[in-house]
Amino acid sequence: MSDSEHEKAHVDPDHLPVWDDPKEAIYHRVTVDLDKCDGCKLCVVVCPANVLELFGPKDNLKARVKIDFSGCMSCNNCYAVCAGQGISASEPYDFAGFYEQKRIGKFEFPRKF
Amino acid sequence: MSDVLTERELEDLECELEKADTKSGRIARRRTAIHDVEEGADWNEVEHTILTRRSIRKFKGRQVPAHMIRRILEMARFAPSQGNCQPWSFVVVRDKEMIAEMEQYCVAVCKNMTATIDYTNYPPGSEKRAAIQANTEKLNRASPNAFHPVPMTAIKSIANGRFAVFHRAPTVILILVDKRGVGVPEVDIGVAGTNIVLGAQSLGLGTCWVGFSRLLSSNAALMERLAVAPPFEISEAICVGYPIGNPTQQAVSRQTHQIVWWEGGEKRILF
């Protein structure tokens, strides 16, 4: 991962992650496409982790991720309710050590086989 | 004669069923539904229901008609279970006051828990933090699932009022498990609950599993009013209501998972 915020600490496989260390408890933040966002606030309302907020002038509100976004489970409820497909999560959450995600691949929409 | 059918006998049996098709409309319907789909075919209705289901945590205020709740509970009744033991029983709560009382109790429990396990309330290096962290890690080793970092974050959010346990849903279904069930009864609860969730989804209702409902078990007075008593205990809850927004308009992307595929004497890894 190039984004230093999402860098994972190198620790013992049995190590219990420290909850407030962003290198050990890696919650994923969603990406907002500001051109597509119309500030309707639905994503802010439905987010189970309560990590989204609106910002900007009243006549041009946009969604963004709060500074403290711990708890984002990459559930993509924000994407599901967004009529303009302007917001989405594309990485799973992860932990360093004992709770590290294993045997997973990249995000995919439902695939038809 | 062996009571295990040979391949030839099985084929004969299928032929007999084909003949029966013409006699019985019921079987004909079942058999016409069984056919191989073409590669890349569109989703059928069941697949579409599964793919567009979301966990709904924000509901409209409107109550769900009672007959619709009965209807989705009927789906649970026909779920598969180990040894057909059907180790479940349901408590349906549709009174705002009762749900509020359940909510308040869970919030109080979470508040108590954060005081003894949430070391993030104290600065790194402090004595208090080290003491709480040692306690948390002990619990973590003993119950790695209950003390997984994700529910821990949720407990903190519940304690500070950022997250409602029962999501202010108009109806809450508590699923009780009969602890004497065959094999692993909790798995059967998961299967029955999935029937509830998908049945509800197909009717345009939103649902969310609430594992924290188990916290209610330590409130004897509430347990008595909800008629939860041994050998039954609360396993899970499912909130039901009308979702806010239109969360089923599109399927979402999700991570893929490793599939080991053994075929033709060869092992492949797929995702």
Side-chain angles (χ1 to χ4, degrees):
Chain A
M1 199 86 37
S2 56
D3 191 345
S4 66
E5 261 169 341
H6 295 156
E7 200 183 297
K8 191 155 58 171
H10 294 283
V11 294
D12 190 83
D14 202 34
H15 170 80
L16 290 169
V18 176
W19 300 342
D20 54 355
D21 182 340
K23 284 186 170 26
E24 297 202 2
I26 306 146
Y27 289 103
H28 253 279
R29 56 162 84 199
V30 298
T31 328
V32 183
D33 182 336
L34 292 178
D35 291 336
K36 290 180 178 172
C37 176
D38 66 356
C40 77
K41 207 185 171 182
L42 260 181
C43 57
V44 176
V45 172
V46 302
C47 175
N50 203 355
V51 295
L52 300 173
E53 64 184 4
L54 291 184
F55 74 103
K58 258 190 184 157
D59 58 345
N60 191 26
L61 287 165
K62 300 282 178 189
R64 73 175 170 199
V65 182
K66 288 181 187 171
I67 293 171
D68 174 13
F69 60 92
S70 66
C72 173
M73 298 171 286
S74 309
C75 75
N76 259 327
N77 261 7
C78 49
Y79 175 87
V81 296
C82 183
Q85 306 191 332
I87 184 166
S88 66
S90 55
E91 299 270 346
Y93 61 77
D94 198 4
F95 298 97
F98 183 75
Y99 291 107
E100 183 180 39
Q101 294 260 31
K102 291 181 177 173
R103 298 191 176 203
I104 58 168
K106 60 180 183 7
F107 267 51
E108 297 270 15
F109 282 98
R111 298 167 290 177
K112 282 178 183 153
F113 291 101
Chain B
M1 207 178 80
S2 162
D3 54 4
V4 178
L5 296 175
T6 66
E7 210 165 303
R8 180 64 211 267
E9 282 168 333
L10 270 169
E11 270 173 32
D12 287 349
L13 203 64
E14 276 205 35
C15 287
E16 273 169 45
L17 272 172
E18 297 282 3
K19 272 181 233 145
D21 280 358
T22 52
K23 285 183 224 147
S24 158
R26 199 159 57 109
I27 292 177
R29 268 205 303 281
R30 182 178 68 82
R31 288 187 60 80
T32 51
I34 300 170
H35 59 271
D36 287 347
V37 292
E38 277 171 38
E39 217 174 305
D42 259 343
W43 310 120
N44 66 31
E45 227 170 290
V46 175
E47 290 170 322
H48 190 264
T49 302
I50 293 169
L51 293 171
T52 54
R53 180 213 58 83
R54 314 290 312 146
S55 286
I56 302 302
R57 295 179 178 85
K58 292 285 156 54
F59 297 100
K60 290 175 181 160
R62 181 156 70 97
Q63 182 58 285
V64 180
H67 72 271
M68 284 172 74
I69 300 296
R70 290 302 302 263
R71 196 172 167 113
I72 59 176
L73 286 174
E74 201 66 353
M75 299 297 109
R77 197 160 70 83
F78 288 89
S81 61
Q82 292 163 76
N84 194 23
C85 72
Q86 306 168 32
W88 47 67
S89 168
F90 307 97
V91 178
V92 177
V93 187
R94 286 160 63 81
D95 286 347
K96 259 191 187 148
E97 301 72 27
M98 182 62 112
I99 295 173
E101 212 174 305
M102 288 156 49
E103 178 79 27
Q104 276 165 18
Y105 182 73
C106 290
V107 170
V109 173
C110 287
K111 274 189 180 155
N112 280 338
M113 277 169 86
T114 52
T116 53
I117 60 178
D118 188 5
Y119 52 83
T120 65
N121 290 326
Y122 304 93
S126 63
E127 239 174 76
K128 186 94 183 170
R129 177 172 166 123
I132 295 177
Q133 192 168 350
N135 176 53
T136 307
E137 293 195 348
K138 220 190 294 171
L139 293 166
N140 225 316
R141 296 290 180 207
S143 321
N145 312 108
F147 292 91
H148 187 287
V150 169
M152 284 307 104
T153 310
I155 286 177
K156 197 174 176 166
S157 298
I158 292 165
N160 64 27
R162 268 176 50 174
F163 187 81
V165 180
F166 296 101
H167 311 298
R168 299 183 181 90
T171 295
V172 175
I173 301 170
L174 298 172
I175 312 182
L176 314 186
V177 58
D178 185 336
K179 298 299 282 180
R180 306 161 305 159
V182 177
V184 191
E186 281 77 11
V187 169
D188 295 338
I189 298 302
V191 178
T194 295
N195 277 15
I196 291 178
V197 161
L198 293 177
Q201 168 77 10
S202 75
L203 301 178
L205 297 170
T207 55
C208 190
W209 288 87
V210 179
F212 283 119
S213 55
R214 237 163 288 169
L215 298 177
L216 296 171
S217 306
S218 56
N219 185 329
L222 252 180
M223 288 302 90
E224 191 172 340
R225 284 166 66 202
L226 294 170
V228 183
F232 288 92
E233 61 182 54
I234 296 175
S235 177
E236 285 285 340
I238 295 176
C239 295
V240 191
Y242 292 96
I244 284 179
N246 185 9
T248 59
Q249 62 192 332
Q250 53 202 349
V252 304
S253 67
R254 275 194 175 182
Q255 66 220 49
T256 48
H257 304 83
Q258 182 184 297
I259 301 161
V260 175
W261 191 286
W262 258 108
E263 189 169 336
E266 195 190 344
K267 182 169 79 175
R268 285 187 293 152
I269 306 290
L270 311 175
F271 280 92

